[in-house]
Amino acid sequence: MEKLTKEELSIYEWQLDVPGHGKEGQERLKNSTVLVSRCGGLGSVVAYELAAAGVGTLVLAHAGNVKPSDLNRQLLMTHDWLGKPRIESVERRLRELNPNINIIGVPENINEDNVANLVGMADVVVDGAPLFEERFLMNREAVRQGKPLVDCAMYELEAQITTIVPGETACLSCLYPAQPAAWQRRFPVFGAVSGTVACLGAMEAIKLISGFGEALKNRLLTMDLRTMTFNTINIQTRKGCEICQEQQVS
Amino acid sequence: MKKEIKLRFTAQIKTHTGVDVDTISIDDDEHVQVVLQKISKRYGPGITSTLFNADGSYRNFNLIAVNQIQVNYDDNTPLNQGDELMLMSPIAGG
Ligand SMILES: [Zn+2]
């Protein structure tokens, strides 16, 4: 395992004192890889926080070019990059923040062809993708490969997050056995909502890698920022979940 | 004996119902499945098509929680006076 340099010891000074984390935890972060699916409203902030925290390698999947409507919440996109590849804006801004980490930018969204390889590179996955096909595909692959998956979602002023640990917790398909019939691709949201749940998602990834605290295992945290109501739903593996069953068989 | 059940709706479910909280009254021998049927009747076609197929069978893409614990529609979990049933649809990122 690669040790922390003198420079890193000073950069991470404030978090090295976090009980349960320390130098060992920071070294685990340095030697870890996190896959972030899409660097939109959620993934931008997840990636930013993980880069700031010193996660050694970030694999970031995000297709398309920067559009004006990205800018209210996709905080790694900038005006000067309108019309140019989003992933370049993502890489540039993360390197400004932390030049010491490895950033692997993938100009693609998660699909059947790339999912196994990308999940295979990661110790932990954080999903902030907007399409259910991508999210259920990621869930299937993460469970298949036994990789922890932090699943973050938002709608209007509401958000949900849970941490899926294959073999230990319910998966996304346990919660939602079928994909919803209708889903508006564009939905109302503020960047402060995606940013809130993204910071929680980044914290989950940090805790999983460093090995302290209690992750949101078998718990779905829901929040409504309109009323500042937070609830924790106890969730469980669903009998007959094809995704979890496949893992048990293999 | 009638039982009052608290209802809580989130995200897209809330856009169908128009309210985030409500209460519903059920008979002593009625459970989760009846509450969902009553919700469907009370709030109209948007919520009905979210919950049920045209043939009336349950559409399995919502999360039902009673007193903040996930339950399965098929289990038709019994409810007590004052219980809270929360109905959530999956949401995504972006
Ligand atoms: Zn499952």
Side-chain angles (χ1 to χ4, degrees), chain A residues 127-183:
Chain A
D127 199 345
L131 302 180
F132 285 107
E133 302 85 82
E134 276 172 78
R135 300 176 74 88
F136 282 95
L137 180 61
M138 181 65 89
N139 178 64
R140 187 204 74 194
E141 192 59 36
V143 171
R144 204 173 261 180
Q145 295 196 27
K147 302 285 175 82
L149 166 63
V150 182
D151 191 87
C152 308
M154 64 196 181
Y155 182 87
E156 210 229 24
L157 265 69
E158 295 180 46
Q160 300 176 5
I161 173 172
T162 187
T163 294
I164 296 160
V165 179
E168 230 183 287
T169 71
C171 79
L172 189 61
S173 294
C174 291
L175 298 186
Y176 302 111
Q179 295 189 24
W183 174 250

Side-chain angles (χ1 to χ4, degrees), chain A residues 64-110:
Chain A
N65 295 333
V66 180
K67 293 192 296 192
S69 61
D70 295 346
L71 298 172
N72 84 317
R73 66 193 186 287
Q74 302 194 14
L75 299 189
L76 296 177
M77 313 303 166
T78 52
H79 280 262
D80 60 332
W81 223 255
L82 282 168
K84 295 191 239 178
R86 288 179 174 131
I87 198 67
E88 290 177 15
S89 189
V90 166
E91 290 177 46
R92 179 175 50 97
R93 293 207 61 191
L94 292 176
R95 288 212 170 88
E96 282 168 7
L97 175 68
N98 194 340
N100 296 324
I101 61 168
N102 307 310
I103 296 161
I104 302 171
V106 181
E108 295 168 9
N109 300 324
I110 295 298

Side-chain angles (χ1 to χ4, degrees), chain A:
Chain A
M1 195 147 85
E2 246 189 286
K3 297 278 179 206
L4 299 168
T5 64
K6 224 173 148 194
E7 188 199 6
E8 287 167 335
L9 286 171
S10 64
I11 290 173
Y12 304 117
E13 202 173 49
W14 285 45
Q15 69 199 47
L16 288 174
D17 293 338
V18 171
H21 180 58
K23 250 192 197 177
E24 294 74 23
Q26 191 61 44
E27 274 174 5
R28 282 193 281 274
L29 288 185
K30 179 177 179 170
N31 289 279
S32 70
T33 301
V34 176
L35 166 63
V36 182
S37 169
R38 298 248 201 163
C39 296
L42 282 165
S44 272
V45 177
V46 170
Y48 205 58
E49 290 290 352
L50 295 181
V55 168
T57 303
L58 292 174
V59 181
L60 308 164
H62 198 108
N65 295 333
V66 180
K67 293 192 296 192
S69 61
D70 295 346
L71 298 172
N72 84 317
R73 66 193 186 287
Q74 302 194 14
L75 299 189
L76 296 177
M77 313 303 166
T78 52
H79 280 262
D80 60 332
W81 223 255
L82 282 168
K84 295 191 239 178
R86 288 179 174 131
I87 198 67
E88 290 177 15
S89 189
V90 166
E91 290 177 46
R92 179 175 50 97
R93 293 207 61 191
L94 292 176
R95 288 212 170 88
E96 282 168 7
L97 175 68
N98 194 340
N100 296 324
I101 61 168
N102 307 310
I103 296 161
I104 302 171
V106 181
E108 295 168 9
N109 300 324
I110 295 298
N111 58 49
E112 279 284 358
D113 295 332
N114 65 18
V115 68
N117 182 34
L118 292 174
V119 170
M121 293 164 80
D123 300 303
V124 173
V125 180
V126 183
D127 199 345
L131 302 180
F132 285 107
E133 302 85 82
E134 276 172 78
R135 300 176 74 88
F136 282 95
L137 180 61
M138 181 65 89
N139 178 64
R140 187 204 74 194
E141 192 59 36
V143 171
R144 204 173 261 180
Q145 295 196 27
K147 302 285 175 82
L149 166 63
V150 182
D151 191 87
C152 308
M154 64 196 181
Y155 182 87
E156 210 229 24
L157 265 69
E158 295 180 46
Q160 300 176 5
I161 173 172
T162 187
T163 294
I164 296 160
V165 179
E168 230 183 287
T169 71
C171 79
L172 189 61
S173 294
C174 291
L175 298 186
Y176 302 111
Q179 295 189 24
W183 174 250
Q184 302 157 260
R185 176 64 187 80
R186 181 168 72 81
F187 54 85
V189 76
F190 278 103
V193 178
S194 43
T196 298
V197 66
C199 284
L200 298 176
M203 200 63 243
E204 285 291 280
I206 290 166
K207 288 186 326 194
L208 286 168
I209 297 162
S210 174
F212 68 92
E214 285 173 34
L216 280 165
K217 291 182 192 173
N218 281 327
R219 291 185 291 158
L220 177 70
L221 176 64
T222 72
M223 62 209 82
D224 185 348
L225 303 189
R226 189 176 287 274
T227 54
M228 286 299 176
T229 307
F230 288 67
N231 282 297
T232 306
I233 312 290
N234 290 319
I235 55 178
Q236 58 207 329
T237 309
R238 182 175 48 86
K239 260 180 268 159
C241 171
E242 305 82 29
I243 304 296
C244 288
Q245 266 172 355
E246 188 194 344
Q247 198 221 10
Q248 280 161 5
V249 172
S250 60

